[in-house]
Amino acid sequence: MIDIALPKGRLGEKVYQMFESAGYGCPAIHDQNRKLIFANEEAGVRYFWVKPSDVAIYVERGAADIGVAGKDILLEYEPDLYELLDLGLGKCRMAVAGPKEFRDDLGKTLRVATKFPNIAQQYYAGQSRAIDIIKLNGSIELAPLLGLSDLIVDIVETGTTLKENGLEPLFTIIPISARLIANKVSYKFKNAEIRDLCRKMHTFCQEVKKKA
């Protein structure tokens, strides 16, 4: 059996549809109940739902053989695992955003509010820019509006929320999308099964791209 950690929510539902289309369906997952674990011995898979930010932890520590996590999570927490495939889902970008009229004063320490301190730190370290990171857990857009920070580093999809709050994306740090990941030990001992699944998922992704 291959144990698969799926992120709860719309992304997880889309990801499961991909697994199902690739031949790894589990009919019980469609049942209306509160179960978190679903198995299909015939297909050789067992799925379980977890919080999106926890998928990489389950995979890294071996509770799951494989899983699906956003590139933002992998960059921020740097878990020790294998990244196998870009699924092309949940596309967005990690970006620096702020007021349109913002001008960086290099004589001052730049104040940056973010949910992703590691990503922000690495981005500005690459520019040799001194920053003061302000770790927030929500409503990041408020920080520059209330003078708490000069800029923010956050995930941007459409940019609508930024625009409605008088902010705009200034620089793109990196594109973000959902990635298929694997536990290193599982990849060694279940190599044939995981490689076969990965190949089928890749084929499915390519067929979807052709139809798009």
Side-chain angles (χ1 to χ4, degrees), residues 86-202:
D86 182 349
L87 298 178
L89 294 176
K91 288 186 176 182
C92 52
R93 55 182 168 138
M94 186 67 65
V96 176
K100 185 177 181 179
E101 66 279 4
F102 174 78
R103 296 294 180 271
D104 193 0
D105 182 352
L106 299 179
K108 297 181 179 180
T109 297
L110 187 65
R111 299 171 302 157
V112 181
T114 185
K115 299 175 187 176
F116 305 95
N118 189 36
I119 293 175
Q121 186 68 56
Q122 291 192 28
Y123 174 71
Y124 280 104
Q127 298 184 15
S128 300
R129 183 67 171 96
I131 65 171
D132 173 20
I133 290 182
I134 303 164
K135 176 70 166 64
L136 296 177
N137 297 307
S139 301
I140 305 296
E141 296 84 6
L142 272 176
L145 301 180
L146 299 179
L148 180 63
S149 73
D150 301 305
L151 299 171
I152 66 173
V153 168
D154 202 9
I155 291 175
V156 176
E157 294 184 41
T158 63
T160 301
T161 302
L162 292 174
K163 187 176 181 180
E164 290 178 349
N165 287 283
L167 307 175
E168 65 177 33
L170 301 175
F171 310 103
T172 294
I173 296 177
I174 192 170
I176 301 295
S177 58
R179 310 298 170 99
L180 182 65
I181 56 178
N183 174 270
K184 288 187 172 181
V185 175
S186 297
Y187 192 75
K188 178 179 180 180
F189 289 99
K190 297 183 181 181
N191 186 265
E193 294 89 342
I194 292 176
R195 284 172 62 89
D196 188 48
L197 182 149
C198 190
R199 178 183 58 79
K200 291 177 180 177
M201 292 289 281
H202 176 71

